[in-house]
Amino acid sequence: MEPLNELLIHSGQRDAAAFRQLYQAASPRLFALCKRLLRDEALAEDVLQEGFVKIWNHAGQFAASKASAMTWMTTIVRNQALDKLRQAQSRPQVVDDLDYETLAFVSLEPQPDALQQMGEDAQRLMFCIERLKPEQRECILQAFYHGQTHEELAQTLAKPLGTVKAWIRRGLEQLKGCLQ
């Protein structure tokens, strides 16, 4: 079993030492993701901390059969960063000498029907992703969640660049067909 998977499973059993090791092993990559998404080091640190609190609280829900530990944690931290970006966009900016009564305030939050549709879309996407060949699935998830380039994937997987590109292209074509 992958070392991060084991550490995450032990963290789900409230093993603080395992969680500490998990943090030491995974935090550099997750912090890089936060910095890339947020473009603010202090905000990235906050999001990383909030993400690891969620990881600790939900580690018991991790299933190694569905995703690798790094993919699972990246999803949590990435969603935390995206939530932070949405919050920043929805905050009103302070403007002097503005008559607020004339402004029409509109909520930027998704409506319940949109949330339901997003949930259904996510389930459909997960169904389609699970139907991919393991190498296609891994390449697509690494490229999307970790932001790895084709070259980085080829190096990490010790496979030719053309093979990695073909896996991603064919995987995306399969996803497109499945999602239509």
Side-chain angles (χ1 to χ4, degrees):
M1 182 181 285
E2 191 177 316
L4 287 181
N5 287 4
E6 286 185 40
L7 290 172
L8 187 54
I9 289 168
H10 289 295
S11 296
Q13 298 164 350
R14 298 304 200 218
D15 181 342
F19 185 70
R20 194 173 310 109
Q21 288 179 300
L22 182 70
Y23 179 85
Q24 289 171 346
S27 64
R29 285 185 83 182
L30 295 175
F31 181 61
L33 172 68
C34 290
K35 282 191 344 187
R36 188 171 42 240
L37 288 172
L38 299 167
R39 301 184 198 303
D40 179 327
E41 192 161 328
L43 194 56
E45 289 172 357
D46 290 344
V47 166
L48 182 68
Q49 180 180 358
E50 293 166 5
F52 267 98
V53 169
K54 282 191 175 183
I55 290 167
W56 172 255
N57 290 329
H58 295 88
Q61 298 171 2
F62 169 69
S65 62
K66 292 186 179 180
S68 72
M70 195 63 188
T71 300
W72 187 83
M73 291 186 299
T74 300
T75 302
I76 289 174
V77 171
R78 181 179 174 277
N79 288 341
Q80 194 72 27
L82 294 176
D83 287 346
K84 190 65 78 175
L85 285 172
R86 282 187 208 107
Q87 286 174 358
Q89 290 173 352
S90 68
R91 283 192 197 121
Q93 295 180 353
V94 177
V95 180
D96 293 332
D97 301 326
L98 185 62
D99 184 6
Y100 286 102
E101 292 178 9
T102 62
L103 294 176
F105 289 99
V106 179
S107 172
L108 297 176
E109 295 299 312
Q111 297 299 313
D113 58 337
L115 286 173
Q116 178 184 358
Q117 183 62 44
M118 285 191 299
E120 291 169 2
D121 291 345
Q123 286 177 345
R124 204 160 129 224
L125 177 61
M126 287 309 297
F127 171 79
C128 292
I129 286 175
E130 288 176 13
R131 294 180 65 193
L132 294 175
K133 292 179 181 174
E135 60 273 5
Q136 291 173 329
R137 178 176 44 248
E138 186 66 23
C139 284
I140 289 171
L141 292 175
Q142 289 292 336
F144 177 74
Y145 285 117
H146 300 292
Q148 287 191 325
T149 65
H150 292 139
E151 291 81 10
E152 291 170 334
L153 283 168
Q155 190 174 28
T156 302
L157 299 172
K159 297 290 181 187
L161 179 60
T163 301
V164 169
K165 286 182 177 183
W167 285 346
I168 291 173
R169 187 183 70 253
R170 289 182 192 130
L172 290 174
E173 287 171 357
Q174 242 183 295
L175 283 176
K176 183 179 176 182
C178 179
L179 292 170
Q180 288 180 343

